[in-house]
Amino acid sequence: MSYPDIFLASSSPRRRELLAQLGVSFSLVSADIDETPLAGEAATDYVQRLALQKARAGLARTNSDLPVLGADTVVVADGEILGKPADFARFERTMQLLSGRCHQVMTAIALVNSARQLQQLVCTEVCFRRLSAAEISAYWHSGEPQDKAGGYGIQGLAAKFVQRINGSYTAVVGLPLCETEQLLLQWQEQL
């Protein structure tokens, strides 16, 4: 397979690891953006907007017209975007909300250069078993939840909470490999 050389606009080590699995040649570029949701913004619109803004911010920091890949992941329950927990109280509320229920994880990817852009949204249903207060506290104190959308990492210690998923496992981790590969191939075909 032939992929374009790209920039990855992400500081996520999980996204770097996943993209490397595709065998894509990439360089990192920072993409600091305001991640505040807009008033009344739907989760699907929010996550797609952030992925595109990250890609565009990354492009603005390069001196190249190579494509820049941006991605964003959100956890959504009852229409509410559950961000990275700022403290234990917010984390505990999030875990209580997810406990014994299914929720959505949405990952958007965007590939841009100065002339064009491609985007894709991947939605996955994740179902947690019931969690005890002791499990929630122990997970918080592991240190893993603090930098994770929705307060958990499916690829880490929280894997034991997951009864099932319907959709893309790698999208829940942070980069849907199947869809990312297809986006890169589509980009190559359009050259």
Side-chain angles (χ1 to χ4, degrees), residues 2-115:
S2 174
Y3 306 111
D5 290 341
I6 66 169
F7 286 96
L8 175 63
S10 179
S11 60
S12 166
R14 292 163 299 281
R15 286 196 181 107
R16 290 193 301 264
E17 290 167 7
L18 287 167
L19 188 57
Q21 288 181 25
L22 290 178
V24 175
S25 175
F26 65 94
S27 299
L28 298 175
V29 62
S30 65
D32 297 322
I33 63 165
D34 180 0
E35 297 189 18
T36 306
L38 302 175
E41 187 173 33
T44 54
D45 296 336
Y46 171 74
V47 72
Q48 290 179 92
R49 177 176 62 84
L50 290 190
L52 187 57
Q53 284 184 341
K54 287 178 181 181
R56 287 179 177 161
L59 182 63
R61 297 185 64 96
T62 70
N63 291 326
S64 169
D65 204 35
L66 290 176
V68 177
L69 178 66
D72 196 68
T73 300
V74 295
V75 174
V76 180
D78 298 334
E80 179 184 353
I81 298 169
L82 305 173
K84 297 174 184 175
D87 53 37
F88 178 73
R90 289 185 192 172
F91 168 76
E92 184 177 39
R93 179 189 167 278
T94 296
M95 288 298 108
Q96 289 169 347
L97 185 62
L98 301 180
S99 178
R101 302 180 58 207
C102 296
H103 60 276
Q104 285 191 311
V105 177
M106 300 175 185
T107 298
I109 52 176
L111 194 60
V112 306
N113 70 5
S114 63

